[in-house]
Amino acid sequence: MTPFLLLFVALATASPVKRQTSGLDADGDGLVSQDELMNAMTLQQALTALDSDGDGFIYLPQIIELWGVGDKFYELNTDGDNHLNFTEIENGMTLMDFYNQFDFNGDGTLDQAEAYQLHYIYDVINMVTPVEVLDDNGDGLLSNLEVQSHMTYNEILTALDVDESHRLDFAELSVLLGSQTQDFINAQDDNNDGVVSFGEAHHHHANLDTLFDRLDLDNSGYIEDAESAGINAVWAAVQALPVDPADVNNV
Ligand SMILES: *[C@@H]1O[C@H](CO)[C@@H](O)[C@H](O)[C@H]1NC(C)=O
């Protein structure tokens, strides 16, 4: 093949539909339907996948990372403690209720951004990704070094940009940033169009260090427990990225 053709092969390999490796989208139409979810998992399996530290609890920051707001946490939290156990969740919602929480635009199906966390959950259940865990030394905490040694800021931006627009909207950003999403948008959205372009995402000295500090909600110096839900989902997506996205610097 000529170098010219090879370039086209490389570009084709980098097409957006290749990004989601998840088999959750069984018919491959780019959307996740209610039936596809029902066929793929139970609510119990989804909760077990989300409970990355295995303590049997789901915390408020995780609920916010899933659904942008914490309403469901307060609704389901019958005893008013700082976590939900699986029983509290299963008593308060079905798998279909769980699905509907992701349907932010209420059109009855889930597009790529809406289904981001569900693809991650599917992959965890089926042990597709992450093939490599972020927590290298297994101490249950993510250090800045552990995060930086696995992914770059540009890879994170690319992994979040599921519609390949080079602009990150609220739904795309909230996968990683949870309760910090609006704050991040306020800090980075220079032209006030409501989204953060890749260019804007590099302004104001934003990088993986500042992102780490933002995710470290309790300023412990580590990302731990519920704080790590977003970065684990993004890490799974980073591993599924088809090409080295170093070229986002040129956007
Ligand atoms: C879950 O939490 C509820 C409310 O506090 C409690 O009654 C129940 O025993 C807990 N279930 C488990 C399995 O821990």
Side-chain angles (χ1 to χ4, degrees):
M1 258 190 281
T2 67
F4 188 68
L5 277 176
L6 280 172
L7 174 67
F8 272 97
V9 171
L11 287 175
T13 313
S15 68
V17 286
K18 291 274 163 71
R19 170 169 301 161
Q20 292 295 352
T21 55
S22 163
L24 180 55
D25 176 18
D27 64 7
D29 68 352
L31 303 169
V32 173
S33 69
Q34 297 188 348
D35 281 350
E36 283 170 334
L37 186 69
M38 296 283 266
N39 292 332
M41 66 184 76
T42 64
L43 182 56
Q44 172 108 44
Q45 286 176 314
L47 298 176
T48 306
L50 284 171
D51 177 25
S52 53
D53 62 4
D55 66 0
F57 301 140
I58 304 290
Y59 298 88
L60 175 61
Q62 287 176 283
I63 296 291
I64 296 176
E65 262 153 8
L66 290 176
W67 299 320
V69 291
D71 299 10
K72 270 285 161 196
F73 179 86
Y74 298 108
E75 189 186 316
L76 297 168
N77 190 9
T78 46
D79 60 359
D81 59 10
N82 75 339
H83 57 256
L84 301 173
N85 69 23
F86 292 4
T87 314
E88 284 176 298
I89 298 174
E90 287 168 334
N91 284 343
M93 71 191 325
T94 63
L95 183 63
M96 268 314 94
D97 297 329
F98 187 79
Y99 174 96
N100 288 332
Q101 287 295 309
F102 292 99
D103 186 12
F104 299 113
N105 63 9
D107 66 354
T109 188
L110 304 185
D111 60 33
Q112 296 263 36
E114 290 172 330
Y116 199 104
Q117 297 276 10
L118 287 176
H119 284 295
Y120 168 69
I121 290 168
Y122 177 92
D123 283 355
V124 171
I125 292 171
N126 294 282
M127 291 188 289
V128 180
T129 52
V131 289
E132 221 188 307
V133 293
L134 279 176
D135 181 17
D136 285 327
N137 64 4
D139 64 357
L141 312 168
L142 294 181
S143 67
N144 201 336
L145 182 64
E146 284 170 331
V147 175
Q148 306 242 12
S149 65
H150 287 95
M151 62 190 121
T152 66
Y153 186 57
N154 285 335
E155 285 174 328
I156 291 174
L157 298 180
T158 305
L160 290 174
D161 181 27
V162 289
D163 64 0
E164 304 240 318
S165 64
H166 289 191
R167 294 145 49 94
L168 300 174
D169 62 24
F170 189 95
E172 289 171 330
L173 286 167
S174 68
V175 168
L176 175 65
L177 289 160
S179 62
Q180 296 296 300
T181 305
Q182 195 56 53
D183 206 55
F184 181 82
I185 293 175
N186 293 346
Q188 300 292 322
D189 178 19
D190 292 329
N191 65 1
N192 288 316
D193 62 355
V195 300
V196 176
S197 68
F198 281 5
E200 287 171 334
H202 282 281
H203 288 185
H204 313 292
H205 308 290
N207 54 35
L208 200 42
D209 272 324
T210 56
L211 194 59
F212 186 93
D213 290 343
R214 208 175 260 286
L215 295 174
D216 179 18
L217 295 172
D218 61 359
N219 294 316
S220 66
Y222 295 97
I223 300 177
E224 75 269 71
D225 299 331
E227 292 171 352
S228 66
I231 195 79
N232 278 318
V234 170
W235 167 231
V238 164
Q239 290 172 89
L241 286 178
V243 288
D244 178 0
D247 62 339
V248 294
N249 273 327
N250 306 323
V251 176

